[in-house]
Amino acid sequence: MIAPRRFLPSVSSLLALEAVDRLGTATAAADELALTHSAVSRQLKALQEQIGVTLVKREGNGLILTSAGIEYAASIRDYLQYLARASLRIRAAGERSSLNLAVLPAFGTHWLLPRLSQFSEENPDTIINFGTRLAPFDFTREPFDAAIHFGAADWPGANHLELASESMIPACSPTLIPVGPVEPSELLSLPLLHLESRPGAWEDWFAGHGCSAGHLRGMLFDQFAQMAEAAALGFGVALLPRFIAEAEFRSGRLRPAAAEFTSVDGAYYIVWPQICTPSRPLDKLLRWLQVAR
């Protein structure tokens, strides 16, 4: 149920309040909004009369926000951004149905997008919008219909469909290891690159190859793409998933630093909230992925 009209100010009055808070003066807000100074003042007056709380006060020849006005402006800023994003999604989709998908950037780029080209050909009435999220989130607080998740099937309150398993291989610039691959123990003397979301990945890899690794140190990254780029520039050895490593090996930017890929715990899933029935676009994508994966 939508709140009563008395609690729903006009967007123009909210824009005026947000602009004054962000820019510092009503004059600057008027310039940005292509309004006169008096028009901004009227918007603010109407807003505080509707809310019933003093949001602005006069100081000298200008207007400043009260503490209540500053707090309210901060609250509505997220609403205005959400409204703008929602309008953009509708405009971009046109008459087509849209689906908002949160992805892990490397998996989305190298594994998912190449497969979705076929889905788009078969479903021209559906458009998929991508956003990046590196960790699980609350679907009730984010504008996504589904997300890509790596690890166990443990996203709280979500259904899981497994898409792909994971295998990794150390990779580095040809300048770092001119002749390779090398024995796992030899990598312990080289700089190792680490991913924030995979703590202990190198330790597990060495243990699986019969090597005792202590407290490994090195550069830290939050995305595989950045880590692969650093490895190509010679900063160290990166432990990369197959879908990135094979592309880098074909380009010649990186070379295998070990003899083979190693399977690791965890898999990639598409997840969606259990509390609601999938939308028609999401249902079509889930059915398609069950076959195409």
Side-chain angles (χ1 to χ4, degrees):
M1 177 179 177
I2 300 298
R5 170 66 181 84
R6 65 181 181 274
F7 296 120
L8 297 175
S10 68
V11 172
S12 56
S13 65
L14 297 179
L15 286 170
L17 181 69
E18 189 280 332
V20 171
D21 176 56
R22 176 167 43 84
L23 300 174
T25 67
T27 300
D31 291 340
E32 179 176 278
L33 298 173
L35 297 172
T36 63
H37 185 283
S38 60
V40 170
S41 297
R42 287 195 298 272
Q43 294 283 4
L44 295 175
K45 181 180 178 181
L47 178 60
Q48 67 180 10
E49 287 178 352
Q50 183 178 9
I51 297 298
V53 175
T54 301
L55 302 174
V56 296
K57 61 182 180 181
R58 186 164 296 281
E59 186 176 89
N61 295 324
L63 297 174
I64 64 170
L65 269 61
T66 65
S67 58
I70 294 172
E71 182 179 352
Y72 190 36
S75 299
I76 65 174
R77 187 167 290 118
D78 288 342
Y79 155 75
L80 292 170
Q81 292 174 338
Y82 180 83
L83 181 61
R85 288 195 297 266
S87 300
L88 176 60
R89 287 196 297 269
I90 291 296
R91 186 174 68 178
E95 299 300 319
R96 292 176 291 178
S97 300
S98 64
L99 170 65
N100 299 316
L101 184 62
V103 299
L104 301 170
F107 185 80
T109 299
H110 296 278
W111 191 95
L112 188 58
L113 272 176
R115 288 163 173 77
L116 287 184
S117 61
Q118 183 64 37
F119 173 82
S120 296
E121 290 179 11
E122 297 175 9
N123 300 274
D125 60 336
T126 301
I127 186 169
I128 300 178
N129 304 314
F130 274 47
T132 298
R133 291 294 185 275
L134 301 178
F137 54 84
D138 184 349
F139 277 105
T140 65
R141 297 179 177 273
E142 295 273 7
F144 293 107
D145 302 290
I148 301 300
H149 169 59
F150 176 79
D154 57 0
W155 189 304
N159 298 300
H160 297 70
L161 172 64
E162 185 173 336
L163 300 178
S165 58
E166 180 84 297
S167 59
M168 310 284 285
I169 193 169
C172 64
S173 166
T175 61
L176 193 62
I177 299 180
V179 179
V182 299
E183 291 298 317
S185 58
E186 296 181 56
L187 296 181
L188 288 169
S189 63
L190 297 175
L192 304 177
L193 309 180
H194 304 263
L195 194 71
E196 285 184 354
S197 60
R198 304 284 182 95
W202 270 116
E203 287 82 355
D204 291 343
W205 187 87
F206 280 114
H209 289 78
C211 295
S212 176
H215 299 290
L216 301 177
R217 295 176 175 82
M219 296 175 67
L220 188 64
F221 300 85
D222 67 355
Q223 295 186 30
F224 275 124
Q226 297 170 338
M227 189 166 68
E229 185 65 26
L233 293 172
F235 284 96
V237 185
L239 193 57
L240 296 177
R242 182 184 294 272
F243 57 81
I244 295 180
E246 289 182 337
E248 294 287 356
F249 296 160
R250 287 193 297 270
S251 73
R253 285 172 18 105
L254 295 176
R255 71 182 313 158
E260 59 187 7
F261 286 89
T262 302
S263 296
V264 299
D265 292 336
Y268 290 93
Y269 299 87
I270 183 169
V271 301
W272 65 100
Q274 295 174 341
I275 61 173
C276 56
T277 302
S279 64
R280 189 174 69 87
L282 177 56
D283 185 63
K284 289 168 63 175
L285 177 61
L286 293 173
R287 293 175 183 274
W288 187 87
L289 286 171
Q290 285 179 320
V291 177
R293 57 184 171 159

